[in-house]
Amino acid sequence: FQAVGSCLPPPSPPMAARRSRALLRALGRGSGAVGGGYVLGSAALYAYDRDDFDACLRLQRMAWLASRMLASYSWHMHVAAHPTEVAREESLRLCHERHAPQVRDLCFRNGGGYIKLG
């Protein structure tokens, strides 16, 4: 029994949609593998040497903040629409004000040489 209408199969999604789904699946599998490796590696490092584990945590916090700041500044400099130079400078100033306390807090949380650098 066929339904009323066309006997053709439903149209397949465009090629770009199929590629993006495949890419997202691959990224999901890769991030799961990386995440699992990270957890196992962290547990082994914590059990083996607590000082190295703490150093890795400090480095991870610094890298996470640096990547967020890089994305934010890149967006403000290249993607955000600034009709005038004054608007661009104001946007950049607000970006500085948002990230300065985060850098200060990171320096205090990481301690040691980070406080000297801050």
Side-chain angles (χ1 to χ4, degrees):
F1 178 76
Q2 278 188 337
V4 177
S6 175
C7 60
L8 296 174
S12 62
M15 181 65 74
R18 286 188 296 223
R19 285 183 181 158
S20 63
R21 276 193 231 128
L23 177 64
L24 287 175
R25 275 196 301 273
L27 287 174
R29 289 185 193 117
S31 63
V34 169
Y38 176 78
V39 168
L40 290 175
S42 296
L45 186 59
Y46 182 82
Y48 179 70
D49 188 355
R50 180 65 194 246
D51 291 333
D52 285 345
F53 179 77
D54 290 339
C56 285
L57 283 180
R58 288 190 298 270
L59 182 63
Q60 177 191 4
R61 284 191 291 259
M62 185 186 69
W64 176 245
L65 180 61
S67 64
R68 286 179 24 216
M69 288 173 55
L70 178 66
S72 178
Y73 277 103
S74 294
W75 185 83
H76 278 280
M77 297 301 287
H78 302 293
V79 178
H82 304 293
T84 64
E85 186 66 25
V86 174
R88 181 180 173 276
E89 291 298 322
E90 178 64 17
S91 175
L92 197 56
R93 185 186 66 77
L94 291 173
C95 198
H96 290 328
E97 286 180 5
R98 183 175 53 250
H99 291 300
Q102 294 173 352
V103 171
R104 182 198 60 223
D105 293 343
L106 175 74
C107 289
F108 285 127
R109 187 167 181 203
N110 281 349
Y114 290 94
I115 292 175
K116 293 173 187 158
L117 290 175

